[in-house]
């Protein structure tokens, strides 16, 4: 088995490193192909000169721009005209603000063949055209060109930083969990193998099926592999340690551990993979692309942790646990903390269940305080140059939009489309900037700030008026139109993908637990946990962090991750509970036994998974911070409240009905233990351990 994975690793190495270069992070890559703004971008790329690189040079001096400043701006505009092919073949003109403190120079570069060439042009403009301004004058590059370049720079930092930070945190947590100088290395090595294998497979999917993969998808996949893979390793190693105390040979102990906890690990990975695959039904390219990418990561983690990790553990034998080696025939130390939890559930199950439900409901109310959709200028936790430039334009030119709305219409009807656009309420200016391939491009500026409610109405008016123009086939795009199309696609995706995810998770739970009641209890519990996590986000994002918006796909993605990952810990608990009940233990005793025997490992797994998602909160993008926060909080709620108290309390109160309509629900049970009593399963007869 080790030799097989060495061969797989050798095949994956040449391709895994290419994933970053194959990622696409333009806003239009997130949109569905049917969106108007997507079609505008595609048509613009097919025109002579390719896609347009729109930018704004912003000059500002507190005491007012001087004649020398205006001369410098004109020189920069001339330099742009000499270096690049500009739309309309004319030198950009500086536009002064009314208060005299600011100049803006809008420009559009054409003729750049691809995104790499565009980003090189932005870098050249910043380093050679506008570098070293005179003292007291700030010169910045804004507009879509600057924002896209700054986004690319952030995403380039994500892969390496995220990988190293996550690996470091997982290493620390594994050392604390295992208290061994060697054991932590094996899960970490296996996670690395799974990560590289997944990156190579995703790269293959991109090449074979033109899958849209962005940097956020790659980041989430890395976190999933580290978090979920480590969880599977913790569960397997804990059960292996338990079996080593009962079984003489490590090979037999590992086989027994895999046989007993394998179904739970398989179902756990199945719920996550199935939930992610449901994202394929999303209309939004970014969400649909995240589905298979995340699923590949989870499947690779499952494959490695159930094949390579067991092989390595058996090769090293018991000594890998040094200094806490589980000797054959020894008894484990009791975990008093989880015993006390079980005792409290046994004494007051109804009060604990009701109190937990009320607490989750109260926290969920905070979701009403969630801010609106995240605007482009608010997407960074630390504002880069492009964002500060656009804020200066917004303040200095309050009655003028500084971000172009792009209209594409049939060339034969271009004049009629231009006249119609100029007559739409809210349009400040419009002109035909270029034509080709049967279409003309019309650049429109609104009289209101970008992504404001007023500009949204202007875009809606343009689409309505131009859509009614016979023979024009006009489409409205540009960054603000893309934001509107994103919001519309997200709303439709939530209505479709969330029910699909719930159905997929329920089917897997029913197959594992052979019950209808237990899966419903788990599903309702994790949905309530997700709602509470969203509510906590509403209390933190704007009031504490100052983030004025949330990403439009936040609810959908956190629901898929929250439900699919959160239900894992319920699976680990109820699968062990079912195992105990099938051995003849009454359901209430089985619930407390399962809590006691899985409590420590599930708590460790929950902390590891929450910590890996919390790493996303260190990334300088608001949408990634929010995703990491909600999932991490939801996992902690599932680990320490939902699974420990609510699911255990519900199981105690329902008794054998928790297994309805399966055969365990019909089996007569022994009398339940007295309040606070801990009842162990009947001891095995002499010789049973050896026979087992």
């Amino acid at each position: 088995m080790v030799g097989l994975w060495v061969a797989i690793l050798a095949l994956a190495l040449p391709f895994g490193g290419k994933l970053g270069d194959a990622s696409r992070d333009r806003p239009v890559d997130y949109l569905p192909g049917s969106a108007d703004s997507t079609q505008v971008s595609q048509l613009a790329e097919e025109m002579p000169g390719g896609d347009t690189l729109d930018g704004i040079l912003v000059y500002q001096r507190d005491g007012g721009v001087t004649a020398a400043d205006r001369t410098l701006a004109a020189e920069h505009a001339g330099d742009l005209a000499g270096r690049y092919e500009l739309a309309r073949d004319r030198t950009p003109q500086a536009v002064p603000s009314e208060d005299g403190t600011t100049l803006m120079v809008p420009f559009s570069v054409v003729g750049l063949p691809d995104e790499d060439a565009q980003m090189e042009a932005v870098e050249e403009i910043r380093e050679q055209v506008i570098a070293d301004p005179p003292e007291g004058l700030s010169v910045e590059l804004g507009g879509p060109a600057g924002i896209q370049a700054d986004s690319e720079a952030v995403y380039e930092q994500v892969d390496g930083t995220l990988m190293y930070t996550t690996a470091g945190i997982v290493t620390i947590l594994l050392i604390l969990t295992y208290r061994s100088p060697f054991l932590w290395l094996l899960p970490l090595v296996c996670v690395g193998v799974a990560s590289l294998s997944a990156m190579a497979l995703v790269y293959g999917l991109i090449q074979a099926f033109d899958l849209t993969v962005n940097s956020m998808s790659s980041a989430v996949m890395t976190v999933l592999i580290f978090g979920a893979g480590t969880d599977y390793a913790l569960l397997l190693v804990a059960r292996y340690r338990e079996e080593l105390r009962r079984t003489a040979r490590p090979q037999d102990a590992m086989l027994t551990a895999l046989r007993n906890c394998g179904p739970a690990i398989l179902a756990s990975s199945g719920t996550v993979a199935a939930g992610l695959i449901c994202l394929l039904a999303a209309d939004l390219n970014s969400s649909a692309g995240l589905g298979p990418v995340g699923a590949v990561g989870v499947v690779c983690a499952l494959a490695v942790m159930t094949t390579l990790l067991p092989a390595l553990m058996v090769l090293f034998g018991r000594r890998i646990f040094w200094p806490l080696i589980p000797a054959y025939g020894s008894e484990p130390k009791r975990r008093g903390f989880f015993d006390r939890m079980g005792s409290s559930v046994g004494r007051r199950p109804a009060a604990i269940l009701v109190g937990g439900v009320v607490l989750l409901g109260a926290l969920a109310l905070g979701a009403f305080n969630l801010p609106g959709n995240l605007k482009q200028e608010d997407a960074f936790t630390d504002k880069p140059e492009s964002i500060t430039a656009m804020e200066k334009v917004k303040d200095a030119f309050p009655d003028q939009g500084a971000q172009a709305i792009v209209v594409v219409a049939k060339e034969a009807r271009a004049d009629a489309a231009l006249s119609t656009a100029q007559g739409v309420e809210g349009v400040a200016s419009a002109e035909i900037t270029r034509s080709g391939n049967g279409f003309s491009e019309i650049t429109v500026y609104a009289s209101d700030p970008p992504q404001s409610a007023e500009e949204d109405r202007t875009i809606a008016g343009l689409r309505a008026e131009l859509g009614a123009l016979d023979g024009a086939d006009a489409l409205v795009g540009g960054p603000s139109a893309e934001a509107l199309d994103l919001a519309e696609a997200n709303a439709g995706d939530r209505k479709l993908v969330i029910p699909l995810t719930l159905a997929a998770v329920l089917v897997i739970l029913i197959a594992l637990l052979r019950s209808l009641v237990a899966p419903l209890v788990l599903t309702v519990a994790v949905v309530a946990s997700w709602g509470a996590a969203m509510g906590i986000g509403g209390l933190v994002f704007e009031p504490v962090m100052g983030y004025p918006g949330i990403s439009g796909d936040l609810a959908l993605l956190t629901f898929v991750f929250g439900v699919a990952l959160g239900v894992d810990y319920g699976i680990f608990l109820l699968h062990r509970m079912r195992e105990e009940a099938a051995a003849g233990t009454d359901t209430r005793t089985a619930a407390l036994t399962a809590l006691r025997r899985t409590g420590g490992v599930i708590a460790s797994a929950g902390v590891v998974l929450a910590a890996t998602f919390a790493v996303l909160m260190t990334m300088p993008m608001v949408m990634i911070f929010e995703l990491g926060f909600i999932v991490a909080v939801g996992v902690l709620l599932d680990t320490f409240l939902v699974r420990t108290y609510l699911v255990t309390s519900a199981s105690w109160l329902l008794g054998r009905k928790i297994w309805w309509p399966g055969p365990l629900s019909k089996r007569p049970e022994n009398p339940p233990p007295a309040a606070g009593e801990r009842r162990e399963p009947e001891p095995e007869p002499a010789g049973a351990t050896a026979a087992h």
Side-chain angles (χ1 to χ4, degrees):
M1 186 60 66
V2 173
L4 173 63
W5 276 107
V6 169
I8 292 174
L9 202 59
L11 291 173
L13 274 171
F15 304 104
K18 296 181 179 180
L19 180 58
D21 295 333
S23 299
R24 294 181 288 185
D25 291 306
R26 296 181 307 168
V28 73
D29 290 325
Y30 287 61
L31 292 165
S34 59
D36 282 8
S37 51
T38 306
Q39 296 179 58
V40 167
S41 180
Q42 292 169 346
L43 289 170
E45 289 178 358
E46 295 169 1
M47 288 184 183
D51 197 7
T52 304
L53 180 69
D54 296 313
I56 302 174
L57 299 182
V58 181
Y59 302 78
Q60 188 172 82
R61 186 185 291 275
D62 289 340
V65 292
T66 64
D69 297 335
R70 289 191 287 272
T71 301
L72 179 65
E75 291 175 357
H76 288 169
D79 196 353
L80 289 176
R83 289 173 182 266
Y84 310 106
E85 179 184 352
L86 300 180
R88 301 180 299 279
D89 294 324
R90 67 187 188 202
T91 302
Q93 299 298 309
V95 181
S97 63
E98 289 186 4
D99 61 7
T101 62
T102 308
L103 295 172
M104 71 170 178
V105 181
F107 66 91
S108 297
V109 177
V110 297
L112 299 174
D114 52 35
E115 186 178 348
D116 290 339
Q118 293 178 356
M119 294 305 100
E120 289 175 7
V122 170
E123 184 177 355
E124 187 178 63
I125 291 170
R126 283 177 167 168
E127 293 182 355
Q128 299 183 27
V129 178
I130 62 174
D132 300 324
E135 185 177 355
L137 179 70
S138 67
V139 184
E140 297 172 325
L141 173 62
I147 293 173
Q148 179 64 22
D150 289 336
S151 299
E152 292 278 354
V154 167
Y155 282 123
E156 285 176 2
Q157 301 171 7
V158 165
D159 289 340
T161 304
L162 187 69
M163 177 75 76
Y164 297 135
T165 305
T166 307
I169 288 177
V170 169
T171 298
I172 293 170
L173 292 175
L174 286 175
I175 291 173
L176 292 175
T177 300
Y178 289 136
R179 289 170 288 172
S180 166
F182 308 112
L183 180 55
W184 63 272
L185 279 168
L186 298 189
L188 201 63
V189 167
C190 291
V191 165
V193 172
S195 182
L196 187 58
S197 302
M199 291 167 68
L201 279 174
V202 171
Y203 179 76
L205 290 176
I206 293 173
Q207 300 304 311
F209 302 104
D210 195 28
L211 184 71
T212 299
V213 176
N214 54 46
S215 296
M216 190 186 79
S217 300
S218 301
V220 169
M221 183 184 74
T222 299
V223 168
L224 269 177
I225 293 172
F226 271 88
T230 306
D231 278 7
Y232 305 152
L234 286 168
L235 188 67
L236 178 63
V237 171
R239 192 58 183 263
Y240 175 54
R241 188 200 294 266
E242 187 178 327
E243 297 300 332
L244 281 174
R245 300 181 188 277
R246 303 172 180 168
T247 310
R249 299 176 68 243
Q251 293 94 327
D252 297 333
M254 181 56 75
L255 286 173
T256 303
L258 278 170
R259 187 179 302 116
N260 288 333
C261 70
I265 294 176
L266 183 61
S268 170
S269 61
T271 56
V272 180
L276 289 167
I277 288 297
C278 289
L279 285 172
L280 280 172
D283 198 25
L284 207 64
N285 282 341
S286 57
S287 298
L290 176 59
V293 170
V296 165
V298 171
V299 170
C300 286
L302 171 70
V304 171
M305 295 305 173
T306 54
T307 56
L308 178 59
L309 179 62
L312 291 173
M313 296 293 293
V314 169
L315 282 176
F316 283 97
R318 296 175 188 269
R319 60 184 177 274
I320 194 64
F321 289 95
W322 185 87
L324 304 175
I325 298 175
Y328 173 54
S330 63
E331 288 293 327
K333 293 181 180 180
R334 294 297 180 191
R335 294 185 178 273
F337 178 71
F338 292 99
D339 280 347
R340 290 192 294 273
M341 283 187 173
S343 298
S344 65
V345 170
R347 288 193 298 268
R348 295 179 294 274
I352 288 174
L353 181 61
V354 172
V357 170
V358 170
L359 175 61
L360 290 178
L363 290 174
L365 293 175
F368 291 105
N369 196 48
L370 284 168
N373 284 335
L374 190 69
K375 294 182 179 179
Q376 194 175 42
E377 64 264 26
D378 300 321
F380 301 88
T381 56
D382 296 318
K383 294 179 180 178
E385 173 187 322
S386 58
I387 299 301
T388 58
M390 297 311 293
E391 288 180 344
K392 290 176 180 178
V393 170
K394 181 180 177 180
D395 294 337
F397 302 89
D399 298 325
Q400 181 175 347
Q403 186 164 271
I405 301 169
V406 181
V407 174
V408 172
K410 287 284 190 180
E411 192 171 1
R413 298 284 287 160
D415 291 336
L418 175 63
S419 177
T420 301
Q422 290 171 333
V424 172
E425 184 179 356
V427 171
S429 65
E431 62 176 328
I432 298 174
T433 51
R434 57 178 178 151
S435 300
N437 290 345
F439 285 89
S440 291
E441 180 183 85
I442 302 172
T443 300
V444 178
Y445 284 95
S447 57
D448 299 293
Q451 291 185 257
S452 61
E454 294 78 10
E455 191 199 39
D456 290 347
R457 285 195 292 270
T458 301
I459 293 172
L462 283 168
R463 285 177 166 172
E465 295 292 334
L466 291 170
L469 188 62
D470 291 337
D473 294 341
L475 299 167
V476 179
S480 296
E482 289 168 6
L484 288 175
D485 291 339
L486 277 172
E488 183 179 349
N490 278 319
D493 288 347
R494 286 194 294 270
K495 295 176 183 177
L496 176 62
V497 176
I498 286 178
L500 280 177
T501 303
L502 287 175
V505 169
L506 273 173
V507 167
I508 293 173
L509 290 176
I510 290 170
L512 174 72
L513 301 174
R514 281 163 274 181
S515 162
L516 290 177
V517 175
L520 285 172
V521 168
L522 278 184
T523 303
V524 170
V526 293
V527 170
S529 176
W530 167 77
M534 290 292 288
I536 295 173
L539 300 176
V540 169
F541 290 155
E542 190 169 18
V544 177
M545 303 303 300
Y547 299 152
I550 61 172
S551 174
D553 56 359
L554 182 70
L556 174 63
L557 296 183
T558 55
F559 183 87
V560 171
F561 285 119
V563 170
L565 291 170
V567 82
D568 283 3
Y569 306 116
I571 287 175
F572 297 158
L573 176 71
L574 283 183
H575 183 263
R576 186 59 184 264
M577 191 171 106
R578 192 182 190 284
E579 184 182 333
E580 298 289 337
T585 308
D586 67 87
T587 302
R588 290 181 171 180
T589 302
L592 300 187
T593 302
L595 176 62
R596 184 172 64 253
R597 292 187 174 174
T598 65
V601 65
I602 294 178
S604 299
V607 170
V608 168
L609 186 61
T612 54
F613 269 92
V615 173
L616 293 176
M617 296 164 58
T618 65
M619 299 297 103
M621 299 293 287
V622 171
M623 62 182 296
I624 298 180
F625 176 97
E626 293 172 343
L627 176 66
F629 181 90
I630 294 292
V631 177
V633 169
V635 167
L636 291 176
L637 287 173
D638 286 319
T639 303
F640 294 104
L641 176 60
V642 172
R643 185 266 311 176
T644 303
Y645 286 111
L646 301 192
V647 173
T648 305
S649 298
S651 302
W652 177 280
L653 292 170
L654 289 169
R656 64 183 183 182
K657 294 177 184 177
I658 192 77
W659 309 119
W660 186 89
L664 287 179
S665 67
K666 303 176 179 65
R667 177 183 296 181
E669 294 190 328
N670 298 323
E677 177 187 350
R678 188 180 71 201
R679 179 180 293 173
E680 296 286 354
E682 293 295 326
E684 293 181 336
T689 300
H692 176 65

